[in-house]
C-alpha cells in the first residue's frame, strides 16, 4: 500500500512530510484517503500483525480487540511536556522544557525511528471540515492501530486535504511508537518504547506542533484528542478569544419540550460519557448527546456561549459500562468499534468487569492469558477502552455536527469526591463560578499511569490538558464576562455524584438518577427552582429536588445537601496553599473570591 506524496498539493505540508520521511526513514509512506475500503484494509493489516483480533461477526460485526503492551495502558502525565521559550508560559502545573533543547532531543529520538515500518499520513479535521471554527491537523504515525482509531475519532482523508488547499495552514502532529525494526527482525503485536522515561508527549504551542514518541495508547498517540483539541487548542483559544475545554456536551429536554444545552467538565474516567448519554429516570425527560470529552466554546453573534464537539467518536472507559450504567453506550459499540485491553470470551466477544453480564467461565484477559472468575485478578484493564463512532449513538443529538455549536444554558464542574463536596450547588455569578472551577479536585483514576484514588487539585478538569500557564487560563475564563453581557453566559454549577458515607457506600445512586439534579438545574435557569444560600453557593433544599420514586435514606440526603463548615474551612485553607504556586499570575478576582468564601465560612 506504500506510495508517495502525489496527493499532497499543499507545499508546506509536502515539504514537512519529506523532511519527516528523511528523518524517520520508514520503509514506505501511505497517505490516508478516508475511504471505507481503506478502513477495512487498515484493520486487516492490524489483524495480520496480531495487533487486532477480529471479534465474532454475528455478535459484534466489524469489531476488533487490541491488547496493548502492559507498559502502555494509559496517558503518561509525567512524560507530557509543554515547551515554550520561558518556563513561566507553561506555568507551575505543566512539565516544561525549553523549546530548542527539546527539539534537538526529539530530533535525535526520531532519527531512524520508523525503520521497517510504514509512515502513515493522516490528514484530519477537528470540527466539521472547512468550518471556520475547525482546526486541521496532519498526524504522521508508524502505527496502523492509531490510524484505525483516528478514523473513528476524527474526520480523516482527501476531503481534509482539499479543504486545506495549496496554502492552508495545518498543525503538524508527529507520532512514533519508538520501535524501529532491524533487518529481518520480527515485529510484536504492540510495538512501543518499553522504558517509561523514554516516552515523550511534547507540545510546542507557539508553533504550534506536537511530537509524541514511545507510546501507542489513547491520548498519548491519537494526537487529535488531548494533544491538539485540548493542549494546543487551549493555547490557540486564548489568543483567539475562545475556550477549548475538557467537557461533555448534552441536551436536556423537559417533558414540555424545552431544550437546554449543558456542558460539563469532569476529570478522565469520572463519568462524562455516562452523563452525556444518560437515560433519565424522571418520566418525560430526555437527554441527547453532542459530545463526551471535548468542547470548543465561543461567544456567538447573540452574545451566548456556543459549544461544539470537535470529535466524531467516543474513546470511553469500558469497565463499569453496562446496560444499567450506560445503555446508550452499549448500543453505540454493537458494531464498527475497536476495544483495547478488554477481555476476550470463548465466543469471540468482549467482556469487562461490571458489564452487567455474568463473568464468563473462561476468557482471555487483557494480557492474553487464560482467565477464570477465580483467577484473583481483573480480566479487563481498569483503563480498557472502546472506540466507537458517535453517529452510532442512539441518542446522538441532531445538532452534534452543527459547526456553530449549541448555545449553553449551564456549565457543570465536578470530580470524584468521597467527602466535603455536596451533590450540587450553584455559583452566585460568573466570577464565583470561575472560582469554583479553579477549586475543583478529584480522586485520581486509572486513566493516568500513576497512583489511583489520591485526591488532587484538577482545576476545570484541565490539569493534564492546559497548554499554557494555568493562572492565565483562569484569567481567560474570567475575561469571558467582559466579552458579552454576563446575563447571556451559562449558569455555573458544581456537582458531585461520588459522595460516600462513613462506611464507604455511595450516598447518591448516580447514572440515570442524575436527571433529578439536571431538572433542578433547568428550574434554576428558568428562575423557578428553590435554593438555599450557603457560604459555598446556592444549594437545593431536599424539597427542591424531585425525588419522586427514589428511595434514599434521610440521613444520606442530609449529608448530600449540607455544607460542613469545618470541612470547608479546611478545603479553603488547602486551596489557599494551592493558589500560592501561581504567584502574580493568579487573578486578583480569585484571591478576592477565596477571601470572601473564608469570610462567609467564618472561624478565621
Ligand atoms: O486516553 S485518553 O487521554 O484519550 C482518555 C482520557 O484520559 O480522558
Ligand atoms: Mn477525557
Amino acid at each position: 500500500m506504500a506510495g508517495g506524496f502525489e496527493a499532497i498539493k499543499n507545499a508546506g505540508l509536502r515539504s514537512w512530510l519529506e523532511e519527516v520521511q528523511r528523518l524517520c526513514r520508514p520503509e514506505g509512506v501511505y497517505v490516508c484517503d478516508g475511504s471505507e475500503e481503506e478502513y477495512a484494509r487498515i484493520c486487516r493489516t492490524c489483524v495480520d500483525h496480531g495487533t487486532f483480533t477480529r471479534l465474532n461477526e454475528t455478535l459484534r460485526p466489524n469489531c476488533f480487540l487490541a491488547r496493548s503492551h502492559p507498559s502502555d495502558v494509559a496517558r503518561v502525565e509525567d512524560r507530557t511536556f509543554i515547551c515554550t521559550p520561558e518556563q513561566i508560559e507553561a506555568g507551575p502545573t505543566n512539565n516544561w522544557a525549553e523549546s530548542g533543547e527539546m527539539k534537538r532531543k526529539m530530533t535525535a529520538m526520531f532519527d531512524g525511528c520508523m525503520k521497517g515500518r510504514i509512515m502513515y499520513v493522516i490528514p484530519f479535521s477537528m470540527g466539521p471540515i472547512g468550518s471556520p471554527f475547525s482546526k486541521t491537523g496532519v498526524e504522521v504515525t508508524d502505527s496502523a492501530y492509531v490510524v484505525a482509531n483516528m478514523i473513528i475519532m476524527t474526520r480523516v482523508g482527501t476531503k481534509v486535504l482539499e479543504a486545506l488547499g495549496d496554502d492552508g495552514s495545518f498543525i503538524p502532529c508527529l507520532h512514533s511508537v519508538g520501535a524501529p525494526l532491524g533487518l529481518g527482525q520480527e515485529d510484536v503485536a504492540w510495538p512501543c518504547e518499553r522504558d517509561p522515561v523514554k516516552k515523550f508527549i511534547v507540545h510546542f504551542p507557539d508553533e504550534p506542533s506536537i511530537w509524541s514518541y514511545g507510546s501507542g495508547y489513547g491520548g498519548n498517540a491519537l494526537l487529535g484528542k488531548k494533544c491538539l483539541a485540548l493542549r494546543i487548542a487551549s493555547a490557540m483559544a486564548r489568543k483567539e478569544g475562545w475556550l477549548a475545554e475538557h467537557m461533555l456536551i448534552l441536551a436536556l429536554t423537559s417533558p414540555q419540550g424545552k431544550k437546554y444545552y449543558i456542558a460539563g467538565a469532569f476529570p478522565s474516567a469520572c463519568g462524562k460519557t455516562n452523563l452525556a448519554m444518560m437515560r433519565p429516570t424522571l418520566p418525560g425527560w430526555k437527554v441527547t448527546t453532542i459530545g463526551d470529552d471535548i468542547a470548543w466554546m465561543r461567544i456567538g453573534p447573540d452574545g451566548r456561549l456556543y459549544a461544539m464537539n470537535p470529535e466524531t467518536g467516543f474513546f470511553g472507559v469500558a469497565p463499569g459500562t453496562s446496560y444499567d450504567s450506560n445503555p446508550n453506550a452499549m448500543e453505540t459499540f454493537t458494531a464498527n468499534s475497536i476495544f483495547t485491553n478488554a477481555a476476550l470470551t470463548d465466543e469471540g466477544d468482549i467482556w469487562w468487569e461490571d458489564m452487567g453480564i455474568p463473568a464468563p467461565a473462561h476468557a482471555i484477559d487483557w494480557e492474553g492469558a487464560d482467565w477464570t472468575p477465580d483467577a484473583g485478578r481483573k480480566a479487563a484493564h481498569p483503563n480498557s477502552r472502546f472506540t466507537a463512532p458517535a453517529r452510532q449513538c442512539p441518542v446522538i443529538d441532531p445538532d452534534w455536527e452543527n459547526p456553530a455549536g449549541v448555545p449553553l444554558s449551564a456549565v457543570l464542574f465536578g470530580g470524584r469526591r468521597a467527602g466535603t463536596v455536596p451533590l450540587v450547588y450553584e455559583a452566585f455569578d460568573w466570577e464565583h463560578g470561575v472560582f469554583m472551577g479553579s477549586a475543583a479536585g478529584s480522586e485520581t483514576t486509572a486513566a493516568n499511569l500513576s497512583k489511583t484514588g489520591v485526591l488532587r487539585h484538577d482545576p476545570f478538569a484541565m490539569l493534564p490538558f492546559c497548554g499554557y500557564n494555568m493562572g492565565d487560563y483562569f484569567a481567560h475564563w474570567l475575561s469571558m464576562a467582559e466579552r458579552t453581557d454576563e446575563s447571556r453566559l451559562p449558569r455555573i454549577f458544581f456537582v458531585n455524584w461520588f459522595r460516600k458515607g462513613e462506611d464507604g457506600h455511595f450516598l447518591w445512586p448516580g447514572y440515570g438518577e442524575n436527571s433529578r439534579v439536571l431538572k433542578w438545574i433547568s428550574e434554576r435557569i428558568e428562575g423557578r427552582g428553590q435554593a438555599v444560600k450557603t457560604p459555598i453557593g446556592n444549594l437545593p433544599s431536599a424539597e427542591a429536588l424531585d425525588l419522586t420514586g427514589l428511595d434514599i435514606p434521610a440521613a444520606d440526603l442530609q449529608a448530600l445537601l449540607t455544607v460542613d463548615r469545618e470541612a470547608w474551612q479546611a478545603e479553603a485553607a488547602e486551596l489557599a496553599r494551592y493558589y500560592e504556586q501561581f504567584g502574580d499570575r493568579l487573578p486578583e478576582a480569585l484571591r478576592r473570591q477565596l477571601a470572601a468564601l473564608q469570610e462567609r465560612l467564618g472561624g478565621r
Side-chain angles (χ1 to χ4, degrees), residues 65-362:
L65 169 69
R67 284 184 209 107
S68 78
H69 187 266
S71 68
D72 201 23
V73 293
R75 281 184 294 102
V76 283
E77 290 178 9
D78 58 337
R79 307 305 307 156
T80 300
F81 294 83
I82 303 295
C83 296
T84 48
E86 305 285 338
Q87 182 161 15
I88 188 74
E89 295 313 318
T93 60
N94 281 311
N95 299 313
W96 172 82
E98 191 272 319
S99 305
E101 195 189 311
M102 183 59 99
K103 250 318 157 44
R104 281 189 291 281
K105 196 161 158 178
M106 295 296 278
T107 304
M109 285 179 9
F110 276 89
D111 190 359
C113 71
M114 295 188 185
K115 273 188 201 162
R117 302 194 180 281
I118 301 291
M119 167 176 148
Y120 297 93
V121 178
I122 316 169
F124 67 94
S125 178
M126 299 313 289
I129 296 170
S131 153
F133 307 139
S134 298
K135 299 283 178 200
T136 302
V138 178
E139 177 161 358
V140 166
T141 179
D142 52 7
S143 160
Y145 168 89
V146 166
V147 178
N149 279 270
M150 282 292 285
I151 290 173
I152 296 178
M153 296 303 297
T154 72
R155 297 161 174 93
V156 164
T158 310
K159 287 204 282 289
V160 178
L161 289 177
E162 280 164 6
L164 189 60
D166 295 349
D167 55 2
S169 66
F170 65 95
I171 300 159
C173 307
L174 180 52
H175 171 254
S176 172
V177 293
L181 289 169
L183 211 61
Q185 182 186 337
E186 217 185 302
D187 204 0
V188 293
W190 188 276
C192 68
E193 170 56 64
R194 306 285 163 87
D195 185 347
V197 299
K198 289 191 186 147
K199 295 187 201 222
F200 283 87
I201 319 298
V202 182
H203 308 74
F204 299 95
D206 294 339
E207 299 192 349
S209 72
I210 300 159
W211 295 54
S212 166
Y213 185 89
S215 166
Y217 205 90
N220 299 332
L222 314 177
L223 301 187
K225 198 174 182 50
K226 307 301 183 175
C227 297
L228 194 157
L230 287 177
R231 297 193 193 97
I232 293 294
S234 64
M236 296 175 101
R238 180 192 174 208
K239 287 187 199 120
E240 297 168 5
W242 51 285
L243 296 163
E245 299 300 322
H246 191 208
M247 289 183 179
L248 69 95
I249 313 164
L250 63 79
L252 174 73
T253 307
S254 74
Q256 293 74 37
K258 186 122 205 269
K259 203 163 180 178
Y260 308 88
Y261 297 100
I262 300 175
F266 303 83
S268 301
C270 289
K272 280 197 299 300
T273 310
N274 293 342
L275 185 61
M277 300 180 190
M278 182 224 282
R279 228 173 249 183
T281 50
L282 281 180
W285 291 79
K286 199 171 87 182
V287 164
T288 45
T289 312
I290 288 123
D292 82 327
D293 195 39
I294 298 174
W296 285 1
M297 318 198 298
R298 63 183 71 234
I299 305 226
D302 60 358
R304 296 186 68 186
L305 189 65
Y306 283 72
M308 73 100 141
N309 168 17
E311 301 188 286
T312 55
F314 307 119
F315 186 67
V317 181
T321 306
S322 69
Y323 273 101
D324 280 333
S325 69
N326 193 342
N328 289 320
M330 297 290 280
E331 291 295 326
T332 305
F333 51 68
T334 48
N336 314 312
S337 300
I338 300 168
F339 301 87
T340 308
N341 288 344
L344 177 68
T345 68
D346 293 349
E347 293 74 46
D349 201 1
I350 33 89
W351 187 83
W352 48 70
E353 279 69 23
D354 301 316
M355 197 186 191
I357 297 168
H362 172 264

Side-chain angles (χ1 to χ4, degrees), residues 4 49 120 193 226 252 273 303 335 457-458 463 491 545:
H49 279 77
Y120 297 93
E193 170 56 64
K226 307 301 183 175
L252 174 73
T273 310
H457 288 274
D458 192 349
L463 178 70
R491 301 270 202 109
L545 276 184

